[in-house]
Every structure is written in structure tokens, then in C-alpha cells.
Amino acid sequence: MPNHQPAVRRGLIILLSLGHACVDVYQGAVAALVPFFVAERAYTYAAAAGLVLAASLLSSVVQPLFGALTDRRPMPWLLPVSTVVGGAGVALSGVAGSYPLTLAAIALSGLGVAAFHPESARVARAASGGSHTAMGWYSLGGNIGFATAPLMVAAVVATGGLHASPLLVVPALAGGALCLAAVRATARPGYAASRSAGPRAADDWTSFVRLSGAIVCRSIVFVGLSAFIALHVRQQAGGGELAGTAALSVLYLGGAVGTVLGGALATRWDRITVVRWSYAATVLAVAGVVFVPGPLVYAFVALASAGLYVPFSLHVTLGQDYLPRRAGTAAGVTLGLTVSIGGVAAPLIGAAADASSLQTALAPLIALPALGLLLLRSLREPALPGLGGVAAEHGSARP
């Protein structure tokens, strides 16, 4: 293999990771905007949660469709276009004159996010050469975007109000330029030569469905916490808006650490074992978030973040390896449908909080990682990696 090919792969992973950050900042921005919509527009918990639903519901349907399309024909041009669309929707949400227009703007952002992930995951997996660590770095970009979203929103909206939201388009413009560079990199000979053309294993739909069910459980927990943890911690630990923003940042920053840790752990143990450990730890962590008072709640937020994010990139590669003939579809489901379904639960949590208390509404989230763990019990490492014979980091996958 020519020496320039690994450099092309690394460069492409870096570009995709940075572009991923610029896209996922808008997923994090929706949750970060919730307290400001509540404060400035007097939205109820249920109405605010509806914004989270608008961002995720469209993605839940559309993202697998984009995945199926990219399985039939690569569409790298989607990367810069979808990045700009995702940012434009959030930028317009604060200046929309009515609740329906705000929902429409948030939904537009969700469409952009939906179009980005399947194609970017397909390109990243091809560039990774089967490395769990490389996919961890790709996923890390998205987590950094999530983590910086509350800080970005606070810097813009806390000072200028919701009418300053058009300034939030800046990361999308930067991300569009990065993704355009990534698209050009895919046309270079070093990238084309690095892609495997070996035979692919048969699709294992039973294992994929079980994995997807576990991801749904994880998704509901994560979306529920990301939508309401800022408000919950302000009640639980005291303090004003900064206390809530700090909790949301801990949730997202812990995810950045957890994602890289997940890739590293998967090189030492098999992915299924690492994912199971993570779900078990999340049960305890979420219980602490819901019930532990005072500043100690931040420690449980960090633990919950790690438990939710250690398996994040492993979900994607496991899904692609269970469906090696449909890598785009697998990414669309694991990054899109199953993750976005969590947004459907957000209005239910908000309605329960309106009817009782936010703590009572968040308590059922404790049981969901346990349910996910049950779904994972019968899963085994895929017999062959999903890159058509490209070995994972330690060679062939464990049985």
C-alpha cells in the first residue's frame, strides 16, 4: 500500500470529525434553547419539548431513507449541503414569529442533520479501514458539537436574546467548507485505493433489531436528560441559568470523553462486552441524577454521560457489521431512527412534569438502560466486520 494512503485516511477522518462537530452543534442547540424559549416566550414544558420532537421526528423517518439511498449510490455532496441546512433551521428558530414557524425552522434543521449522518458514517467507515479508534474520533466530533452547543447558545442568546439566533449559523458555514474539503478528499486516488472490495458477510437482521431496541432505550434516556437536565439541576442543586448550562455541558463533555474511551476499550475487549458494561453503569448514574441533591448531582451527570456515550461509536460499527451489505441503512438507523425516537418521548416527559414534577417525570428513565441490557444479553460479536473483510483493530472479530 502506498505510504500516502494512511495520510489520506487520517486527513479525511479529521475533516469528517470536524464537520460532524459543526452539524451536531445544532442537535445540542435545540435542547440548549429550551430554557430560553420557556423564559422569553412562556412556553410550557410540553410546548418546549415539542421543539425537541420537531428536531428529531423528521430525522427518525428521513435518516434511514438517506441511508438506503447511499447504499445504492454514494452522495458525498450531501455533506456540505446538509450542514448548511441544519444550521439555517436553528438560526431561523429564534426569529420565527409564531410557534408553528419555530417548529418548522427546527424541523428544517432536523432534515439537514438527517441527511448528513448516513453518508458521513459510510465515508468515515471506509476511511477508517475497520479501526474502532478511528470511528471513535469521527464520533467524537459530533459529541464536541453537542458539548459546545450550550456554551454557544448561552454566548449568543443570553446576551442578545432569541432575536440574535441568526448568528448561530456561523458553525454551519465553517462546517460546510470542511465537508466540501472532505468531498474533494474522497476523489483522491489514495482514498479510492484504500476501500475494500472483498466479499461481504450475510446480513444478520435479528441481531440488528435487538441492537436497535437497546439504542432506542439509550436514546430516550439521553434525549430526556438533554431536554430537561438544565431545568432539573437548577431545581436539584440550586443556582440560576448558569447552573443548568453547566450541567448540560457536563452531560455533553462527558460524552466526548466516553466516545474516545469506547473506541479504546473495544480494542482491548469485544464491543458487546463494553456496551453491556456501559448500560449497567448508566442505570446507577441516572438514578443519581434524578434523586441525589446538591452539587454531587454533577458527578452523576458525568457518570451518566460516560455510560451513555462509551457505546456510541460501537453502536454504529456493530450495526454496520450486522448489516454488512447495507452499511448506509445501518448507519441511518443507528444514528438516526433509533436515536431520534428518543425525541418522541420528550413531550411525554414534559407533560408528566407539568402534571406532577420534573423529578417524578424523569424517574422512569432509570429503568430504560436495564431494559437495553436485557436486549443485549443474547448478542455476539459479528463474525466478520462490515467493511467487506477489512479486519478490525485486532484482526478478525471475536466470536
Side-chain angles (χ1 to χ4, degrees), residues 134-174:
M135 288 300 290
W137 285 107
Y138 159 75
S139 298
L140 173 64
N143 299 335
I144 290 175
F146 265 103
T148 56
L151 303 177
M152 179 188 72
V153 169
V156 173
V157 181
T159 56
L162 287 172
H163 288 292
S165 67
L167 293 174
L168 299 176
V169 78
V170 172
L173 300 179

PDB file of all heavy atoms in Angstrom, residues 134-174:
ATOM      1  N   ALA A 134     -10.558   4.936  15.059  1.00  0.00           N
ATOM      2  CA  ALA A 134     -10.831   5.971  14.063  1.00  0.00           C
ATOM      3  C   ALA A 134     -12.303   6.355  14.060  1.00  0.00           C
ATOM      4  O   ALA A 134     -12.647   7.543  13.987  1.00  0.00           O
ATOM      5  CB  ALA A 134     -10.414   5.488  12.673  1.00  0.00           C
ATOM      6  N   MET A 135     -13.189   5.372  14.170  1.00  0.00           N
ATOM      7  CA  MET A 135     -14.611   5.683  14.243  1.00  0.00           C
ATOM      8  C   MET A 135     -14.954   6.406  15.539  1.00  0.00           C
ATOM      9  O   MET A 135     -15.872   7.230  15.587  1.00  0.00           O
ATOM     10  CB  MET A 135     -15.432   4.402  14.106  1.00  0.00           C
ATOM     11  CG  MET A 135     -15.433   3.816  12.702  1.00  0.00           C
ATOM     12  SD  MET A 135     -16.126   4.953  11.458  1.00  0.00           S
ATOM     13  CE  MET A 135     -17.865   4.940  11.932  1.00  0.00           C
ATOM     14  N   GLY A 136     -14.202   6.109  16.598  1.00  0.00           N
ATOM     15  CA  GLY A 136     -14.382   6.848  17.838  1.00  0.00           C
ATOM     16  C   GLY A 136     -14.058   8.322  17.672  1.00  0.00           C
ATOM     17  O   GLY A 136     -14.772   9.194  18.171  1.00  0.00           O
ATOM     18  N   TRP A 137     -12.984   8.603  16.937  1.00  0.00           N
ATOM     19  CA  TRP A 137     -12.627  10.004  16.687  1.00  0.00           C
ATOM     20  C   TRP A 137     -13.669  10.683  15.809  1.00  0.00           C
ATOM     21  O   TRP A 137     -13.989  11.866  16.013  1.00  0.00           O
ATOM     22  CB  TRP A 137     -11.252  10.096  16.044  1.00  0.00           C
ATOM     23  CG  TRP A 137     -10.135   9.860  17.009  1.00  0.00           C
ATOM     24  CD1 TRP A 137      -9.330   8.759  17.095  1.00  0.00           C
ATOM     25  CD2 TRP A 137      -9.707  10.726  18.062  1.00  0.00           C
ATOM     26  NE1 TRP A 137      -8.439   8.881  18.125  1.00  0.00           N
ATOM     27  CE2 TRP A 137      -8.639  10.083  18.736  1.00  0.00           C
ATOM     28  CE3 TRP A 137     -10.125  11.982  18.501  1.00  0.00           C
ATOM     29  CZ2 TRP A 137      -7.990  10.669  19.822  1.00  0.00           C
ATOM     30  CZ3 TRP A 137      -9.466  12.556  19.583  1.00  0.00           C
ATOM     31  CH2 TRP A 137      -8.422  11.902  20.230  1.00  0.00           C
ATOM     32  N   TYR A 138     -14.179   9.960  14.819  1.00  0.00           N
ATOM     33  CA  TYR A 138     -15.260  10.521  13.991  1.00  0.00           C
ATOM     34  C   TYR A 138     -16.465  10.871  14.863  1.00  0.00           C
ATOM     35  O   TYR A 138     -17.033  11.965  14.764  1.00  0.00           O
ATOM     36  CB  TYR A 138     -15.657   9.523  12.904  1.00  0.00           C
ATOM     37  CG  TYR A 138     -17.029   9.754  12.333  1.00  0.00           C
ATOM     38  CD1 TYR A 138     -17.283  10.793  11.436  1.00  0.00           C
ATOM     39  CD2 TYR A 138     -18.102   8.927  12.700  1.00  0.00           C
ATOM     40  CE1 TYR A 138     -18.554  11.001  10.924  1.00  0.00           C
ATOM     41  CE2 TYR A 138     -19.366   9.134  12.186  1.00  0.00           C
ATOM     42  CZ  TYR A 138     -19.594  10.174  11.301  1.00  0.00           C
ATOM     43  OH  TYR A 138     -20.862  10.383  10.811  1.00  0.00           O
ATOM     44  N   SER A 139     -16.856   9.946  15.742  1.00  0.00           N
ATOM     45  CA  SER A 139     -18.000  10.196  16.623  1.00  0.00           C
ATOM     46  C   SER A 139     -17.703  11.299  17.622  1.00  0.00           C
ATOM     47  O   SER A 139     -18.607  12.034  18.028  1.00  0.00           O
ATOM     48  CB  SER A 139     -18.387   8.908  17.363  1.00  0.00           C
ATOM     49  OG  SER A 139     -18.774   7.901  16.451  1.00  0.00           O
ATOM     50  N   LEU A 140     -16.446  11.405  18.032  1.00  0.00           N
ATOM     51  CA  LEU A 140     -16.066  12.448  18.981  1.00  0.00           C
ATOM     52  C   LEU A 140     -16.414  13.829  18.447  1.00  0.00           C
ATOM     53  O   LEU A 140     -16.830  14.712  19.208  1.00  0.00           O
ATOM     54  CB  LEU A 140     -14.557  12.367  19.260  1.00  0.00           C
ATOM     55  CG  LEU A 140     -13.968  13.502  20.107  1.00  0.00           C
ATOM     56  CD1 LEU A 140     -14.565  13.478  21.507  1.00  0.00           C
ATOM     57  CD2 LEU A 140     -12.449  13.393  20.164  1.00  0.00           C
ATOM     58  N   GLY A 141     -16.244  14.025  17.144  1.00  0.00           N
ATOM     59  CA  GLY A 141     -16.583  15.316  16.577  1.00  0.00           C
ATOM     60  C   GLY A 141     -18.020  15.698  16.862  1.00  0.00           C
ATOM     61  O   GLY A 141     -18.314  16.833  17.268  1.00  0.00           O
ATOM     62  N   GLY A 142     -18.931  14.746  16.686  1.00  0.00           N
ATOM     63  CA  GLY A 142     -20.330  15.028  16.982  1.00  0.00           C
ATOM     64  C   GLY A 142     -20.551  15.354  18.446  1.00  0.00           C
ATOM     65  O   GLY A 142     -21.327  16.251  18.796  1.00  0.00           O
ATOM     66  N   ASN A 143     -19.854  14.634  19.327  1.00  0.00           N
ATOM     67  CA  ASN A 143     -20.008  14.882  20.754  1.00  0.00           C
ATOM     68  C   ASN A 143     -19.475  16.246  21.157  1.00  0.00           C
ATOM     69  O   ASN A 143     -20.027  16.915  22.033  1.00  0.00           O
ATOM     70  CB  ASN A 143     -19.295  13.792  21.549  1.00  0.00           C
ATOM     71  CG  ASN A 143     -19.878  12.417  21.263  1.00  0.00           C
ATOM     72  OD1 ASN A 143     -21.027  12.293  20.879  1.00  0.00           O
ATOM     73  ND2 ASN A 143     -19.076  11.382  21.423  1.00  0.00           N
ATOM     74  N   ILE A 144     -18.374  16.661  20.516  1.00  0.00           N
ATOM     75  CA  ILE A 144     -17.855  18.005  20.785  1.00  0.00           C
ATOM     76  C   ILE A 144     -18.867  19.055  20.351  1.00  0.00           C
ATOM     77  O   ILE A 144     -19.064  20.074  21.022  1.00  0.00           O
ATOM     78  CB  ILE A 144     -16.502  18.202  20.083  1.00  0.00           C
ATOM     79  CG1 ILE A 144     -15.430  17.344  20.762  1.00  0.00           C
ATOM     80  CG2 ILE A 144     -16.086  19.672  20.091  1.00  0.00           C
ATOM     81  CD1 ILE A 144     -14.090  17.371  20.072  1.00  0.00           C
ATOM     82  N   GLY A 145     -19.516  18.806  19.212  1.00  0.00           N
ATOM     83  CA  GLY A 145     -20.563  19.721  18.781  1.00  0.00           C
ATOM     84  C   GLY A 145     -21.674  19.826  19.799  1.00  0.00           C
ATOM     85  O   GLY A 145     -22.128  20.927  20.148  1.00  0.00           O
ATOM     86  N   PHE A 146     -22.127  18.668  20.303  1.00  0.00           N
ATOM     87  CA  PHE A 146     -23.136  18.673  21.356  1.00  0.00           C
ATOM     88  C   PHE A 146     -22.650  19.459  22.569  1.00  0.00           C
ATOM     89  O   PHE A 146     -23.389  20.241  23.165  1.00  0.00           O
ATOM     90  CB  PHE A 146     -23.447  17.232  21.777  1.00  0.00           C
ATOM     91  CG  PHE A 146     -24.634  16.630  21.085  1.00  0.00           C
ATOM     92  CD1 PHE A 146     -24.456  15.720  20.063  1.00  0.00           C
ATOM     93  CD2 PHE A 146     -25.921  16.952  21.460  1.00  0.00           C
ATOM     94  CE1 PHE A 146     -25.540  15.146  19.423  1.00  0.00           C
ATOM     95  CE2 PHE A 146     -27.008  16.387  20.823  1.00  0.00           C
ATOM     96  CZ  PHE A 146     -26.820  15.478  19.800  1.00  0.00           C
ATOM     97  N   ALA A 147     -21.397  19.207  22.972  1.00  0.00           N
ATOM     98  CA  ALA A 147     -20.877  19.800  24.196  1.00  0.00           C
ATOM     99  C   ALA A 147     -20.751  21.312  24.106  1.00  0.00           C
ATOM    100  O   ALA A 147     -20.969  22.023  25.086  1.00  0.00           O
ATOM    101  CB  ALA A 147     -19.514  19.184  24.523  1.00  0.00           C
ATOM    102  N   THR A 148     -20.371  21.816  22.938  1.00  0.00           N
ATOM    103  CA  THR A 148     -20.183  23.255  22.790  1.00  0.00           C
ATOM    104  C   THR A 148     -21.482  23.989  22.516  1.00  0.00           C
ATOM    105  O   THR A 148     -21.533  25.216  22.644  1.00  0.00           O
ATOM    106  CB  THR A 148     -19.189  23.556  21.656  1.00  0.00           C
ATOM    107  OG1 THR A 148     -19.660  22.948  20.444  1.00  0.00           O
ATOM    108  CG2 THR A 148     -17.813  23.000  21.983  1.00  0.00           C
ATOM    109  N   ALA A 149     -22.546  23.254  22.155  1.00  0.00           N
ATOM    110  CA  ALA A 149     -23.814  23.903  21.833  1.00  0.00           C
ATOM    111  C   ALA A 149     -24.352  24.769  22.977  1.00  0.00           C
ATOM    112  O   ALA A 149     -24.742  25.925  22.740  1.00  0.00           O
ATOM    113  CB  ALA A 149     -24.854  22.866  21.419  1.00  0.00           C
ATOM    114  N   PRO A 150     -24.411  24.273  24.226  1.00  0.00           N
ATOM    115  CA  PRO A 150     -24.929  25.142  25.301  1.00  0.00           C
ATOM    116  C   PRO A 150     -24.102  26.405  25.488  1.00  0.00           C
ATOM    117  O   PRO A 150     -24.653  27.478  25.759  1.00  0.00           O
ATOM    118  CB  PRO A 150     -24.857  24.240  26.542  1.00  0.00           C
ATOM    119  CG  PRO A 150     -24.828  22.856  26.026  1.00  0.00           C
ATOM    120  CD  PRO A 150     -24.091  22.927  24.726  1.00  0.00           C
ATOM    121  N   LEU A 151     -22.777  26.281  25.350  1.00  0.00           N
ATOM    122  CA  LEU A 151     -21.931  27.457  25.508  1.00  0.00           C
ATOM    123  C   LEU A 151     -22.166  28.441  24.372  1.00  0.00           C
ATOM    124  O   LEU A 151     -22.213  29.659  24.591  1.00  0.00           O
ATOM    125  CB  LEU A 151     -20.458  27.018  25.545  1.00  0.00           C
ATOM    126  CG  LEU A 151     -20.099  25.999  26.634  1.00  0.00           C
ATOM    127  CD1 LEU A 151     -18.632  25.588  26.520  1.00  0.00           C
ATOM    128  CD2 LEU A 151     -20.401  26.553  28.008  1.00  0.00           C
ATOM    129  N   MET A 152     -22.289  27.922  23.153  1.00  0.00           N
ATOM    130  CA  MET A 152     -22.551  28.784  22.006  1.00  0.00           C
ATOM    131  C   MET A 152     -23.890  29.489  22.147  1.00  0.00           C
ATOM    132  O   MET A 152     -24.008  30.710  21.937  1.00  0.00           O
ATOM    133  CB  MET A 152     -22.520  27.964  20.715  1.00  0.00           C
ATOM    134  CG  MET A 152     -22.800  28.777  19.461  1.00  0.00           C
ATOM    135  SD  MET A 152     -22.981  27.751  17.970  1.00  0.00           S
ATOM    136  CE  MET A 152     -24.589  26.993  18.286  1.00  0.00           C
ATOM    137  N   VAL A 153     -24.914  28.734  22.519  1.00  0.00           N
ATOM    138  CA  VAL A 153     -26.246  29.322  22.680  1.00  0.00           C
ATOM    139  C   VAL A 153     -26.246  30.354  23.794  1.00  0.00           C
ATOM    140  O   VAL A 153     -26.829  31.438  23.667  1.00  0.00           O
ATOM    141  CB  VAL A 153     -27.285  28.214  22.941  1.00  0.00           C
ATOM    142  CG1 VAL A 153     -28.618  28.813  23.375  1.00  0.00           C
ATOM    143  CG2 VAL A 153     -27.473  27.371  21.686  1.00  0.00           C
ATOM    144  N   ALA A 154     -25.597  30.025  24.918  1.00  0.00           N
ATOM    145  CA  ALA A 154     -25.547  30.970  26.029  1.00  0.00           C
ATOM    146  C   ALA A 154     -24.833  32.257  25.625  1.00  0.00           C
ATOM    147  O   ALA A 154     -25.276  33.363  25.958  1.00  0.00           O
ATOM    148  CB  ALA A 154     -24.848  30.333  27.227  1.00  0.00           C
ATOM    149  N   ALA A 155     -23.727  32.118  24.886  1.00  0.00           N
ATOM    150  CA  ALA A 155     -22.965  33.298  24.479  1.00  0.00           C
ATOM    151  C   ALA A 155     -23.777  34.201  23.558  1.00  0.00           C
ATOM    152  O   ALA A 155     -23.685  35.432  23.641  1.00  0.00           O
ATOM    153  CB  ALA A 155     -21.673  32.876  23.790  1.00  0.00           C
ATOM    154  N   VAL A 156     -24.591  33.588  22.696  1.00  0.00           N
ATOM    155  CA  VAL A 156     -25.346  34.372  21.707  1.00  0.00           C
ATOM    156  C   VAL A 156     -26.693  34.810  22.259  1.00  0.00           C
ATOM    157  O   VAL A 156     -27.043  35.998  22.248  1.00  0.00           O
ATOM    158  CB  VAL A 156     -25.531  33.559  20.409  1.00  0.00           C
ATOM    159  CG1 VAL A 156     -26.464  34.291  19.446  1.00  0.00           C
ATOM    160  CG2 VAL A 156     -24.187  33.297  19.752  1.00  0.00           C
ATOM    161  N   VAL A 157     -27.470  33.860  22.773  1.00  0.00           N
ATOM    162  CA  VAL A 157     -28.859  34.147  23.138  1.00  0.00           C
ATOM    163  C   VAL A 157     -28.962  34.794  24.509  1.00  0.00           C
ATOM    164  O   VAL A 157     -29.836  35.647  24.735  1.00  0.00           O
ATOM    165  CB  VAL A 157     -29.702  32.852  23.069  1.00  0.00           C
ATOM    166  CG1 VAL A 157     -31.151  33.131  23.426  1.00  0.00           C
ATOM    167  CG2 VAL A 157     -29.617  32.245  21.670  1.00  0.00           C
ATOM    168  N   ALA A 158     -28.091  34.399  25.451  1.00  0.00           N
ATOM    169  CA  ALA A 158     -28.163  35.010  26.781  1.00  0.00           C
ATOM    170  C   ALA A 158     -27.814  36.488  26.736  1.00  0.00           C
ATOM    171  O   ALA A 158     -28.253  37.265  27.588  1.00  0.00           O
ATOM    172  CB  ALA A 158     -27.229  34.285  27.747  1.00  0.00           C
ATOM    173  N   THR A 159     -27.019  36.897  25.752  1.00  0.00           N
ATOM    174  CA  THR A 159     -26.640  38.302  25.639  1.00  0.00           C
ATOM    175  C   THR A 159     -27.545  39.080  24.693  1.00  0.00           C
ATOM    176  O   THR A 159     -27.886  40.234  24.970  1.00  0.00           O
ATOM    177  CB  THR A 159     -25.184  38.426  25.158  1.00  0.00           C
ATOM    178  OG1 THR A 159     -25.039  37.723  23.923  1.00  0.00           O
ATOM    179  CG2 THR A 159     -24.233  37.825  26.176  1.00  0.00           C
ATOM    180  N   GLY A 160     -27.950  38.462  23.598  1.00  0.00           N
ATOM    181  CA  GLY A 160     -28.746  39.177  22.603  1.00  0.00           C
ATOM    182  C   GLY A 160     -30.189  38.750  22.505  1.00  0.00           C
ATOM    183  O   GLY A 160     -30.943  39.298  21.690  1.00  0.00           O
ATOM    184  N   GLY A 161     -30.592  37.750  23.310  1.00  0.00           N
ATOM    185  CA  GLY A 161     -31.959  37.255  23.238  1.00  0.00           C
ATOM    186  C   GLY A 161     -32.151  36.354  22.034  1.00  0.00           C
ATOM    187  O   GLY A 161     -31.246  36.165  21.210  1.00  0.00           O
ATOM    188  N   LEU A 162     -33.342  35.791  21.916  1.00  0.00           N
ATOM    189  CA  LEU A 162     -33.629  34.878  20.811  1.00  0.00           C
ATOM    190  C   LEU A 162     -33.492  35.553  19.449  1.00  0.00           C
ATOM    191  O   LEU A 162     -33.224  34.886  18.447  1.00  0.00           O
ATOM    192  CB  LEU A 162     -35.039  34.295  20.968  1.00  0.00           C
ATOM    193  CG  LEU A 162     -35.218  33.252  22.068  1.00  0.00           C
ATOM    194  CD1 LEU A 162     -36.701  32.908  22.239  1.00  0.00           C
ATOM    195  CD2 LEU A 162     -34.422  31.994  21.751  1.00  0.00           C
ATOM    196  N   HIS A 163     -33.653  36.867  19.400  1.00  0.00           N
ATOM    197  CA  HIS A 163     -33.540  37.564  18.112  1.00  0.00           C
ATOM    198  C   HIS A 163     -32.110  37.576  17.587  1.00  0.00           C
ATOM    199  O   HIS A 163     -31.880  37.938  16.426  1.00  0.00           O
ATOM    200  CB  HIS A 163     -34.073  38.989  18.235  1.00  0.00           C
ATOM    201  CG  HIS A 163     -35.564  39.057  18.356  1.00  0.00           C
ATOM    202  ND1 HIS A 163     -36.413  38.722  17.317  1.00  0.00           N
ATOM    203  CD2 HIS A 163     -36.360  39.385  19.394  1.00  0.00           C
ATOM    204  CE1 HIS A 163     -37.673  38.859  17.706  1.00  0.00           C
ATOM    205  NE2 HIS A 163     -37.671  39.260  18.973  1.00  0.00           N
ATOM    206  N   ALA A 164     -31.142  37.184  18.421  1.00  0.00           N
ATOM    207  CA  ALA A 164     -29.750  37.091  17.954  1.00  0.00           C
ATOM    208  C   ALA A 164     -29.442  35.732  17.353  1.00  0.00           C
ATOM    209  O   ALA A 164     -28.300  35.484  16.932  1.00  0.00           O
ATOM    210  CB  ALA A 164     -28.791  37.371  19.116  1.00  0.00           C
ATOM    211  N   SER A 165     -30.432  34.857  17.268  1.00  0.00           N
ATOM    212  CA  SER A 165     -30.189  33.487  16.807  1.00  0.00           C
ATOM    213  C   SER A 165     -29.580  33.378  15.405  1.00  0.00           C
ATOM    214  O   SER A 165     -28.906  32.381  15.122  1.00  0.00           O
ATOM    215  CB  SER A 165     -31.479  32.665  16.874  1.00  0.00           C
ATOM    216  OG  SER A 165     -32.439  33.137  15.947  1.00  0.00           O
ATOM    217  N   PRO A 166     -29.799  34.332  14.469  1.00  0.00           N
ATOM    218  CA  PRO A 166     -29.133  34.185  13.159  1.00  0.00           C
ATOM    219  C   PRO A 166     -27.623  34.052  13.256  1.00  0.00           C
ATOM    220  O   PRO A 166     -26.993  33.483  12.357  1.00  0.00           O
ATOM    221  CB  PRO A 166     -29.543  35.460  12.417  1.00  0.00           C
ATOM    222  CG  PRO A 166     -30.901  35.783  12.975  1.00  0.00           C
ATOM    223  CD  PRO A 166     -30.799  35.425  14.434  1.00  0.00           C
ATOM    224  N   LEU A 167     -27.017  34.547  14.338  1.00  0.00           N
ATOM    225  CA  LEU A 167     -25.569  34.394  14.497  1.00  0.00           C
ATOM    226  C   LEU A 167     -25.169  32.935  14.661  1.00  0.00           C
ATOM    227  O   LEU A 167     -24.001  32.581  14.444  1.00  0.00           O
ATOM    228  CB  LEU A 167     -25.088  35.196  15.714  1.00  0.00           C
ATOM    229  CG  LEU A 167     -25.193  36.726  15.605  1.00  0.00           C
ATOM    230  CD1 LEU A 167     -24.809  37.369  16.943  1.00  0.00           C
ATOM    231  CD2 LEU A 167     -24.314  37.248  14.484  1.00  0.00           C
ATOM    232  N   LEU A 168     -26.124  32.081  15.030  1.00  0.00           N
ATOM    233  CA  LEU A 168     -25.832  30.668  15.240  1.00  0.00           C
ATOM    234  C   LEU A 168     -25.543  29.921  13.944  1.00  0.00           C
ATOM    235  O   LEU A 168     -25.180  28.744  13.973  1.00  0.00           O
ATOM    236  CB  LEU A 168     -26.998  29.990  15.969  1.00  0.00           C
ATOM    237  CG  LEU A 168     -27.324  30.534  17.361  1.00  0.00           C
ATOM    238  CD1 LEU A 168     -28.555  29.840  17.939  1.00  0.00           C
ATOM    239  CD2 LEU A 168     -26.130  30.363  18.305  1.00  0.00           C
ATOM    240  N   VAL A 169     -25.678  30.579  12.797  1.00  0.00           N
ATOM    241  CA  VAL A 169     -25.406  29.928  11.516  1.00  0.00           C
ATOM    242  C   VAL A 169     -23.905  29.803  11.240  1.00  0.00           C
ATOM    243  O   VAL A 169     -23.492  29.050  10.349  1.00  0.00           O
ATOM    244  CB  VAL A 169     -26.089  30.692  10.356  1.00  0.00           C
ATOM    245  CG1 VAL A 169     -25.302  31.951   9.977  1.00  0.00           C
ATOM    246  CG2 VAL A 169     -26.277  29.797   9.141  1.00  0.00           C
ATOM    247  N   VAL A 170     -23.076  30.512  12.000  1.00  0.00           N
ATOM    248  CA  VAL A 170     -21.635  30.547  11.713  1.00  0.00           C
ATOM    249  C   VAL A 170     -21.003  29.156  11.690  1.00  0.00           C
ATOM    250  O   VAL A 170     -20.246  28.822  10.755  1.00  0.00           O
ATOM    251  CB  VAL A 170     -20.916  31.481  12.714  1.00  0.00           C
ATOM    252  CG1 VAL A 170     -19.399  31.378  12.547  1.00  0.00           C
ATOM    253  CG2 VAL A 170     -21.369  32.916  12.498  1.00  0.00           C
ATOM    254  N   PRO A 171     -21.251  28.269  12.688  1.00  0.00           N
ATOM    255  CA  PRO A 171     -20.642  26.937  12.604  1.00  0.00           C
ATOM    256  C   PRO A 171     -21.051  26.167  11.349  1.00  0.00           C
ATOM    257  O   PRO A 171     -20.265  25.377  10.827  1.00  0.00           O
ATOM    258  CB  PRO A 171     -21.147  26.235  13.874  1.00  0.00           C
ATOM    259  CG  PRO A 171     -21.457  27.345  14.821  1.00  0.00           C
ATOM    260  CD  PRO A 171     -21.972  28.458  13.959  1.00  0.00           C
ATOM    261  N   ALA A 172     -22.279  26.376  10.867  1.00  0.00           N
ATOM    262  CA  ALA A 172     -22.726  25.674   9.666  1.00  0.00           C
ATOM    263  C   ALA A 172     -21.913  26.092   8.451  1.00  0.00           C
ATOM    264  O   ALA A 172     -21.586  25.268   7.591  1.00  0.00           O
ATOM    265  CB  ALA A 172     -24.210  25.933   9.423  1.00  0.00           C
ATOM    266  N   LEU A 173     -21.599  27.380   8.362  1.00  0.00           N
ATOM    267  CA  LEU A 173     -20.796  27.844   7.229  1.00  0.00           C
ATOM    268  C   LEU A 173     -19.385  27.263   7.292  1.00  0.00           C
ATOM    269  O   LEU A 173     -18.835  26.839   6.278  1.00  0.00           O
ATOM    270  CB  LEU A 173     -20.749  29.375   7.230  1.00  0.00           C
ATOM    271  CG  LEU A 173     -22.116  30.077   7.109  1.00  0.00           C
ATOM    272  CD1 LEU A 173     -21.943  31.591   7.155  1.00  0.00           C
ATOM    273  CD2 LEU A 173     -22.826  29.648   5.835  1.00  0.00           C
ATOM    274  N   ALA A 174     -18.819  27.223   8.500  1.00  0.00           N
ATOM    275  CA  ALA A 174     -17.489  26.622   8.648  1.00  0.00           C
ATOM    276  C   ALA A 174     -17.542  25.128   8.346  1.00  0.00           C
ATOM    277  O   ALA A 174     -16.663  24.579   7.663  1.00  0.00           O
ATOM    278  CB  ALA A 174     -16.976  26.857  10.074  1.00  0.00           C
TER     279      ALA A 174
END
